[in-house]
């Protein structure tokens, strides 16, 4: 396959560690990790994979895999420790070394500007709930693209607004751990605005820039064909996906969910024009499908999770269902017609065991294989999918699950920081070698 980008992905807080080094200020994840009971085993990202010090070794692993591209995120609080204003040279230098190291190895760097680690100092000013966050982010976007835009052409503004807005601010399962619909709706709106406003800034600073945003799509399914359950699916998909996709591509929020919000939305005149600023590509992260049932007691989406019995699941408990992947790609393409689609994340966690320096993760290989087949199926039906990034390069800090869940192609021994390729790493390497030379 020519013109298909093979890649691997990580994010800053999940791998970097060195939280008090290089002039970095705390992010909302440093704070959230201190909340008793928030993270499995009381883990945090203080050390993580120590990538801040071991980035050269990690770039060698990426080179060994033979991928074309490396998607990583930038820690805002390394670049702007006060959130805005003063630029921290040490932070710029770190990412310069990383970018140059990737390029020297023939790997294209793909930047995710925001993968959830808002500087705490900005959360103290209301975070994404404060409309000023749009200006904070555009300033940050300007600094990043001015400093790195001479070498980086691929830019992703946000990773998974759903997780930031709904999980972080409505369900309280991620930083900052707020449970408030009004806050969450504002957060979603300001993120979308910040995205739209930063696109022209990146284009201005980066020659030949390709700018996109990454959404996680987790389609809903039900166990019955009851009309209530089918309505629940429509509403749940609307809330999780259309709430972000519709404004990005069609300039409005989905009416069926808007009707269920019991207060005025924080929309100003002209906002939808900004949000729908044309992008070059849509990033999609896919892991599993949800199974839900109607539950009129729950608001604003009248649904509850239900358990589908007898289906294969990963160590996250997430159902493995590649046909859903194909279907969502076809549906999104039909409905929104993005210019290009990149799968910016896909992968699985397993209870990996290291025995005699080997990790036999046949389940991960199977997951990878079946999901790549699902993508190729969609591609053969005309969906413009031009790349795939495996999640993740390394086992890392899996947010609320701490270090217990392992998504890496490389096993990390957190005591010694030793990285060992799992069998899936060999599989991915061979696959890229064969497919690109065909
Ligand atoms: C993504 N869900 O998060 C993130 O982008 C990664 O940082 C993370 O490590 C990876 O997936 C694995 O979890 C998600 O509940 C978090 O649907 C939650 C969901 C999906 C993706």
């Amino acid at each position: 396959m020519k013109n298909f980008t093979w890649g691997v992905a990580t994010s800053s807080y999940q791998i970097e560690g060195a939280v008090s080094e290089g002039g970095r200020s705390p992010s909302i994840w440093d704070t959230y990790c201190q909340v008793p009971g928030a993270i499995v085993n009381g883990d945090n990202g203080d050390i993580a994979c120590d990538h801040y010090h071991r980035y050269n070794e990690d770039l060698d692993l990426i080179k060994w895999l033979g991928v074309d591209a490396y998607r990583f995120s930038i820690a805002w609080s390394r670049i702007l420790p006060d959130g805005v204003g003063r630029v921290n040279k040490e932070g710029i230098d770190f990412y310069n070394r990383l970018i140059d190291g990737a390029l020297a190895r023939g790997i294209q760097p793909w930047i995710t500007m925001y993968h959830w680690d808002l500087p705490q100092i900005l959360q103290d000013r209301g975070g994404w709930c404060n409309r000023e966050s749009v200006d904070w982010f555009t300033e940050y976007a300007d600094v990043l693209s001015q400093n790195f835009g001479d070498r980086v052409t691929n830019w992703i503004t946000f990773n998974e607004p759903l997780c930031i807005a709904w999980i972080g601010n409505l369900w309280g399962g991620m930083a900052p751990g707020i449970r408030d619909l009004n806050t969450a709706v504002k957060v979603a709106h300001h993120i979308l605005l910040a995205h739209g406003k930063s696109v022209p800034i990146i284009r201005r600073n980066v020659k030949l820039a390709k700018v996109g945003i990454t959404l996680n799509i987790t389609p809903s399914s039900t166990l019955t064909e009851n009309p209530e359950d089918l309505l629940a699916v429509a509403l749940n998909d609307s809330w999780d996906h259309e709430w972000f996709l519709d404004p990005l591509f069609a300039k409005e929020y989905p009416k069926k969910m808007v009707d269920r919000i019991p207060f005025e939305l924080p929309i100003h005149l002209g906002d939808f024009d900004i949000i729908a600023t044309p992008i070059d590509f849509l990033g999609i992260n896919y892991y599993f499908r949800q199974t839900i049932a109607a539950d009129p007691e729950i608001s604003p989406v009248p649904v509850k999770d239900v358990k589908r019995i007898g289906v294969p699941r990963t160590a996250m408990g997430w159902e493995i269902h590649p046909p859903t992947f194909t279907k969502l790609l076809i549906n999104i393409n039909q409905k929104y017609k993005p210019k290009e689609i990149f799968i910016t994340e896909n992968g699985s966690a397993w209870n990996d065991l290291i025995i005699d320096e080997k990790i036999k993760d046949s389940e991960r290989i199977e997951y990878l294989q079946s999901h790549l087949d699902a993508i190729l199926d969609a591609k053969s039906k005309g969906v413009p999918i031009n790349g795939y990034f495996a999640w993740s390069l390394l086992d890392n800090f899996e947010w609320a699950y701490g270090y217990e869940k392992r998504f890496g192609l490389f096993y990390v021994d957190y005591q010694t920081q030793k990285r060992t390729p799992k069998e899936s790493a060999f599989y991915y390497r061979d696959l890229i070698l064969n497919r690109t030379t065909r």
Side-chain angles (χ1 to χ4, degrees):
M1 261 197 315
K2 283 210 175 128
N3 299 325
F4 191 87
T5 300
W6 293 100
V8 70
T10 64
S11 90
S12 47
Y13 190 68
Q14 293 181 276
I15 64 167
E16 285 180 3
V19 291
S20 319
E21 286 178 60
R24 178 190 183 275
S25 70
S27 81
I28 55 174
W29 271 92
D30 297 280
T31 310
Y32 186 66
C33 287
Q34 290 171 12
V35 175
I39 314 290
V40 171
N41 297 325
D43 287 341
N44 60 51
D46 285 3
I47 300 171
C49 305
D50 195 31
H51 172 78
Y52 185 77
H53 298 115
R54 295 169 195 264
Y55 65 94
N56 266 315
E57 180 191 336
D58 291 339
L59 288 170
D60 286 341
L61 304 181
I62 300 170
K63 167 90 182 155
W64 176 89
L65 277 174
V67 293
D68 309 300
Y70 174 41
R71 172 183 176 232
F72 60 94
S73 81
I74 292 190
W76 187 334
S77 67
R78 288 197 188 281
I79 303 291
L80 297 161
D82 305 320
V84 290
R86 178 177 62 92
V87 176
N88 175 35
K89 186 169 175 304
E90 274 186 275
I92 301 281
D93 288 348
F94 169 67
Y95 293 107
N96 270 334
R97 292 196 297 275
L98 184 66
I99 290 165
D100 292 342
L103 291 170
R105 291 168 177 82
I107 303 158
Q108 302 164 23
W110 284 51
I111 287 180
T112 306
M113 299 161 70
Y114 187 82
H115 200 126
W116 308 355
D117 41 359
L118 187 74
Q120 178 61 42
I121 199 165
L122 294 179
Q123 186 63 41
D124 296 341
R125 291 163 67 181
W128 295 110
C129 183
N130 182 343
R131 196 174 161 106
E132 283 177 35
S133 59
V134 178
D135 297 328
W136 306 334
F137 186 79
T138 47
E139 179 179 334
Y140 170 58
D142 194 28
V143 172
L144 292 190
S145 50
Q146 280 198 31
N147 277 281
F148 308 129
D150 56 334
R151 287 152 294 152
V152 179
T153 47
N154 292 286
W155 295 75
I156 295 166
T157 54
F158 285 88
N159 181 67
E160 303 186 347
L162 179 162
C163 293
I164 307 165
W166 300 169
I167 304 186
N169 290 276
L170 176 59
W171 308 330
M174 287 182 167
I178 292 170
R179 292 167 196 256
D180 181 60
L181 180 62
N182 205 310
T183 304
V185 166
K186 283 189 182 146
V187 166
H189 192 63
H190 299 150
I191 286 171
L192 287 167
L193 267 178
H195 156 80
K197 252 195 150 169
S198 68
V199 172
I201 294 176
I202 300 164
R203 291 224 173 93
R204 187 185 70 210
N205 290 335
V206 185
K207 233 192 275 167
L208 305 175
K210 281 176 64 170
V211 192
I213 185 169
T214 281
L215 306 183
N216 53 319
I217 311 288
T218 311
S220 306
S221 68
T222 52
L223 299 175
T224 82
E225 297 282 308
N226 297 340
E228 310 85 69
D229 282 346
L230 296 180
L231 176 65
V233 162
L235 291 173
N236 203 49
D237 279 342
S238 184
W239 185 240
D240 280 1
H241 313 127
E242 290 174 351
W243 196 271
F244 303 97
L245 283 162
D246 284 11
L248 285 167
F249 289 95
K251 294 198 182 182
E252 60 194 353
Y253 285 122
K255 185 164 182 328
K256 53 179 166 305
M257 274 313 302
V258 170
D259 290 346
R260 307 185 68 90
I261 305 296
F263 47 80
E264 183 127 9
L265 297 179
I267 304 164
H268 296 196
L269 195 68
D271 282 1
F272 284 127
D273 292 326
I274 295 171
I275 295 172
T277 302
I279 50 177
D280 300 296
F281 65 88
L282 175 66
I284 292 179
N285 295 352
Y286 173 78
Y287 289 92
F288 66 108
R289 72 166 168 179
Q290 310 180 52
T291 303
I292 55 158
D295 184 344
E297 303 285 295
I298 312 278
S299 158
V301 199
V303 305
K304 63 178 175 208
D305 286 318
V306 290
K307 188 117 177 159
R308 194 181 283 277
I309 309 291
V311 295
R313 292 176 187 280
T314 69
M316 296 293 281
W318 293 349
E319 185 190 349
I320 303 172
H321 200 259
T324 295
F325 198 8
T326 308
K327 204 166 124 197
L328 85 85
L329 291 166
I330 292 171
N331 289 346
I332 285 185
N333 188 46
Q334 272 172 359
K335 187 161 172 203
Y336 301 103
K337 304 192 172 39
K339 284 186 208 141
E340 287 189 272
I341 292 175
F342 288 89
I343 307 308
T344 40
E345 282 177 35
N346 172 244
S348 57
W350 298 98
N351 298 320
D352 298 316
L353 292 176
I354 181 159
I355 299 165
D356 296 336
E357 299 288 291
K358 286 198 168 57
I359 302 98
K360 300 200 167 168
D361 57 340
S362 53
E363 297 100 334
R364 187 174 284 100
I365 293 175
E366 229 172 273
Y367 183 98
L368 196 66
Q369 205 166 27
S370 58
H371 287 76
L372 282 171
D373 286 346
I375 292 166
L376 295 182
D377 190 5
K379 197 168 159 62
S380 74
K381 293 179 173 125
V383 184
I385 307 161
N386 293 333
Y388 176 89
F389 292 78
W391 185 268
S392 181
L393 174 68
L394 305 168
D395 292 337
N396 59 44
F397 176 73
E398 180 49 34
W399 309 112
Y401 297 89
Y403 296 98
E404 207 173 81
K405 301 294 182 220
R406 295 177 175 272
F407 274 90
L409 295 173
F410 287 84
Y411 184 93
V412 176
D413 177 334
Y414 293 108
Q415 300 305 312
T416 60
Q417 290 294 346
K418 182 169 182 214
R419 284 87 160 117
T420 306
K422 302 180 190 176
E423 290 208 335
S424 56
F426 290 96
Y427 168 82
Y428 194 46
R429 180 177 188 249
D430 288 349
L431 180 143
I432 293 166
L433 208 62
N434 294 331
R435 294 222 178 163
T436 48
T437 52
R438 210 181 271 165

